[in-house]
Amino acid sequence: DKLLADVIDPDLAKSIAVIEHADDNALKRDTVATVNQFFVTLAANPEEAFDYSRSSANALGLVQFIPSTYKSVVAHHPDLHLIADFESGMRDMNNALTAQVAYLDEILNALPADVRAQYAVDANSKERVQEYMTAAYNGGTVRVKKSIPFWDDLWTGDVQNKIKSLQVRHNTLAANIKTWTRQLKTASKTTKPKIQAKIAAAKKEDAGVLPELTKLRDSALRAETIGYITKYRKVVAMIDNGETAVLAMN
């Protein structure tokens, strides 16, 4: 029972539009200049800004929707009267921004209930949930939902390090089991029980290693999405602090 505009933070929508068009290296060299360049371009071309921008995945326009996502948003929100045609819809700035806000609301609604509840708790909790939403905008909600319990570790590299460690251990156990199984064929009655015990112990250990490895692999965000959030953190901080020509999008 709230308007989309009352639920989705405008700074979130603005930040995503910026990072869709901001070059990684340019942001690292001079974040302020890069972000301001985006807003100046937007202000100077209010009806046509970034109409020409199309990715290799056919993501188009200011908010970089792909056809399938746009089609889904149009179908789910008949009350918004979005332009049905993808190309026309993405090249109409007001229409594109409306679709973006509606999609962000869909992403928020797809997150777990306890996470959605955090969105209204305080500024810090809301910022964290908006990071989840931004990651899902780039990489989809399925993987993001799995990554939430490990969120802080994603940025320190701890998750990737643990995945590598578990993978090495799994490979070692699998190789040992294979070797010992071959040895059983020619083992004497005296050594056979010892080999069987080693195989059983290795299988038991791997039964704990493999599920943990699978869980972490399924929850780890793609490098592209981690980079996306890294850019988001820089850009949203500037917009929140009023350090940009942000009025161009108001």
Side-chain angles (χ1 to χ4, degrees):
D1 39 346
K2 290 184 178 180
L3 296 175
L4 287 174
D6 293 332
V7 175
I8 302 303
D9 189 333
D11 288 349
L12 170 63
K14 293 170 187 176
S15 297
I16 288 176
V18 173
I19 60 179
E20 285 288 356
H21 300 281
D23 178 74
D24 290 4
N25 292 328
L27 270 177
K28 290 177 183 176
R29 286 194 305 271
D30 192 333
T31 304
V32 174
T34 303
V35 175
N36 276 334
Q37 182 179 3
F38 168 86
F39 285 115
V40 169
T41 301
L42 192 66
N45 305 274
E47 300 301 327
E48 300 175 342
F50 303 102
D51 280 2
Y52 55 83
S53 182
R54 189 189 296 269
S55 76
S56 57
N58 201 27
L60 180 64
L62 179 65
V63 298
Q64 288 289 284
F65 270 27
I66 58 175
S68 59
T69 301
Y70 184 70
K71 181 179 180 180
S72 174
V73 172
V74 171
H76 290 156
H77 297 276
D79 54 311
L80 296 180
H81 305 292
L82 295 168
I83 298 170
D85 179 68
F86 171 69
E87 299 272 343
S88 302
M90 285 294 98
R91 289 196 166 98
D92 183 298
M93 186 176 297
N94 287 330
N95 182 86
L97 288 170
T98 300
Q100 181 206 35
V101 170
Y103 183 48
L104 287 169
D105 186 69
E106 287 186 16
I107 290 172
L108 177 61
N109 191 52
L111 295 176
D114 60 325
V115 173
R116 295 200 306 273
Q118 295 174 27
Y119 193 70
V121 172
D122 56 45
N124 289 334
S125 297
K126 184 176 182 179
E127 286 175 5
R128 173 58 64 92
V129 176
Q130 289 184 159
E131 287 191 358
Y132 302 154
M133 295 165 68
T134 302
Y137 193 95
N138 175 263
T141 56
V142 174
R143 185 171 288 269
V144 169
K145 285 192 287 187
K146 292 179 180 179
S147 74
I148 289 173
F150 315 99
W151 196 257
D152 291 325
D153 293 337
L154 290 169
W155 318 106
T156 62
D158 286 355
V159 170
Q160 289 299 332
N161 290 337
K162 193 167 183 179
I163 288 173
K164 290 177 183 177
S165 176
L166 288 169
Q167 185 67 62
V168 169
R169 187 58 186 157
H170 168 66
N171 292 345
T172 299
L173 289 168
N176 287 342
I177 292 169
K178 187 175 182 180
T179 298
W180 294 331
T181 300
R182 284 201 304 267
Q183 291 175 356
L184 273 178
K185 296 177 180 179
T186 57
S188 66
K189 290 182 179 180
T190 305
T191 59
K192 185 172 289 188
K194 295 179 181 179
I195 296 173
Q196 289 172 330
K198 289 196 292 185
I199 292 173
K203 286 183 176 180
K204 182 178 180 180
E205 182 182 350
D206 200 38
V209 169
L210 194 55
E212 182 69 9
L213 174 61
T214 302
K215 180 176 72 173
L216 288 177
R217 275 197 307 220
D218 288 347
S219 64
L221 298 178
R222 295 178 303 159
E224 176 191 340
T225 303
I226 290 177
Y228 200 82
I229 295 297
T230 301
K231 290 201 297 183
Y232 169 76
R233 287 176 170 176
K234 289 183 178 181
V235 172
V236 76
M238 291 178 55
I239 291 176
D240 283 344
N241 295 331
E243 298 178 31
T244 71
V246 70
L247 291 178
M249 246 179 120
N250 287 342

